[in-house]
């Protein structure tokens, strides 16, 4: 495969800088990628190969053979146990996504995916979207179960993608949270961004993206409350972050501050959070549709335990 080459003068601001650091700034590589390019002889200054720790001279000509673009992550086509098809036609497929299944492949995830499961089951999925995310118009976290819709046709993809963006889709979740929220019905409007000290976590942050969660009490128990939640926005971990920020984390969610003893008593090894219903206009016929997914066994069992 032919690799692209870039030739450019060393700008004044990068004179005296190490080659790996300068490449990182100039071309957006990671330092490790820049170091590897130097080791492979793919970086020269005025025709001389450079090591990663050489210093650049202002006005010298830098020549870099660019790394090969990463290969797209393709989903492994394998049937996904417990992934029920709730509805399907030529434009839309709605599935009940089990816990432990990702929407699509990502770096660092080699477990089952909705996309791979549908392909293995013989469903046609829209070819729109990035290669590893074909047909994906919304996502549910790996640790969250419930209704998820996938586009089967190109038209379905563009209409549904726009509907999620414009927030005309009605997303209903049920969550079992610790304690009793006060008030028992309300709206949490607080921006969400990456947690300042833990990269894999999210938090309410001043410079985060806008996030709005509406909740109302369905049932109150001694130690916990079952809430119905409607999302206006769809940030990563939104319900978990917002409920935790109000002092009522989802039961079984130690990442966001739940009580491990309560989780153990309820037999929970993941957060009690379920995407129970999705309402949207069919992308072709325009009729309003509502797809629901029953509670999976582990959540139903925990609810019985908290009631008991």
């Amino acid at each position: 495969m032919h690799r692209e080459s870039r030739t450019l003068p060393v700008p004044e601001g990068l004179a005296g800088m190490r080659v790996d650091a300068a490449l990182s700034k100039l071309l957006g590589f990671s330092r490790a990628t820049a170091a590897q390019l130097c080791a492979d002889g793919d970086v020269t200054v005025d025709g001389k190969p450079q090591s990663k720790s050489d210093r650049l001279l202002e006005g010298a000509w830098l020549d870099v053979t660019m790394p090969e673009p990463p290969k797209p992550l393709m989903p492994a086509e394998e049937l996904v146990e417990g992934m029920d098809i709730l509805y399907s036609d030529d434009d839309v497929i709605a599935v009940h996504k089990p816990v432990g299944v990702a929407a699509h492949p990502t770096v660092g995830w080699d477990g089952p995916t909705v996309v791979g499961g549908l392909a293995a089951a013989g469903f046609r999925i829209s070819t729109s979207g990035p290669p590893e995310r074909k047909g994906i118009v919304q996502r549910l976290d790996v640790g969250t179960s419930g209704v998820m819709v996938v586009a089967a046709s190109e038209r379905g993809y563009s209409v549904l993608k726009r509907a999620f963006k414009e927030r005309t889709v009605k997303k209903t979740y049920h969550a079992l949270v610790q304690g009793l929220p006060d008030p028992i019905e309300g709206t949490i409007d607080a921006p969400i961004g990456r947690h300042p000290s833990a990269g894999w976590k999210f938090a309410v942050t001043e410079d985060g993206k806008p996030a709005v969660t509406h909740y109302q009490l369905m049932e109150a128990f001694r130690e916990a409350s079952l809430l119905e939640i409607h999302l206006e926005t769809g940030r990563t971990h939104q319900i978990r972050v917002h409920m935790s920020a109000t002092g009522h984390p989802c039961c079984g969610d130690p990442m966001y501050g739940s009580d491990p003893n309560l989780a153990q008593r309820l037999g929970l090894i993941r957060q009690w959070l379920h995407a129970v219903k999705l309402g949207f206009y069919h992308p072709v016929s325009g009729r309003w549709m509502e797809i629901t997914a029953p509670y999976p066994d582990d959540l139903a069992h925990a609810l019985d335990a908290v009631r008991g």
Side-chain angles (χ1 to χ4, degrees), residues 60-74:
W61 282 92
L62 181 62
D63 203 306
V64 183
T65 304
M66 302 293 277
E68 280 185 31
K71 292 183 174 65
L73 293 155
M74 296 317 288

Side-chain angles (χ1 to χ4, degrees), residues 175-181 184 216-228 303 306-308:
L176 186 69
V177 304
Q178 289 181 195
L180 180 67
I184 58 171
Q216 65 186 87
L217 180 69
M218 291 169 66
E219 232 180 307
F221 312 103
R222 196 166 57 81
E223 297 180 283
S225 306
L226 183 64
L227 306 181
E228 179 162 294
L303 205 50
V306 82
R307 281 187 179 124

Side-chain angles (χ1 to χ4, degrees), residues 224-236:
S225 306
L226 183 64
L227 306 181
E228 179 162 294
I229 293 175
H230 292 278
L231 286 188
E232 214 172 286
T233 51
R235 306 291 168 226
T236 305

Side-chain angles (χ1 to χ4, degrees), residues 271-295:
Q271 67 265 16
W272 204 114
L273 178 61
H274 184 66
V276 77
K277 187 161 56 173
L278 210 51
F280 56 94
Y281 292 102
H282 189 279
V284 175
S285 72
R287 73 190 167 96
W288 180 253
M289 299 179 65
E290 288 194 347
I291 314 276
T292 58
Y295 298 155

Side-chain angles (χ1 to χ4, degrees), residues 71-146:
K71 292 183 174 65
L73 293 155
M74 296 317 288
E77 293 190 15
E78 54 179 339
L79 289 169
V80 173
E81 198 180 334
M83 187 171 85
D84 298 328
I85 306 298
L86 300 169
Y87 174 85
S88 75
D89 62 26
D90 290 344
D91 302 288
V92 177
I93 306 160
V95 303
H96 184 174
K97 186 191 87 61
V99 66
V101 177
H104 57 77
T106 52
V107 174
W109 176 259
D110 55 8
T113 65
V114 170
V115 177
L118 287 173
F123 283 89
R124 181 194 183 273
I125 304 172
S126 164
T127 55
S128 304
E132 77 283 5
R133 295 207 293 272
K134 287 193 195 311
I136 293 289
V137 289
Q138 61 144 159
R139 284 179 289 201
L140 285 182
D141 287 348
V142 170
T144 302
S145 53

Side-chain angles (χ1 to χ4, degrees), residues 181-211:
D182 179 21
I184 58 171
E185 186 171 332
T187 295
I188 304 163
D189 183 346
I192 290 176
R194 289 210 171 268
H195 192 282
S197 63
W200 34 265
K201 246 176 99 165
F202 290 80
V204 169
T205 59
E206 269 182 33
D207 57 352
K209 291 179 176 172

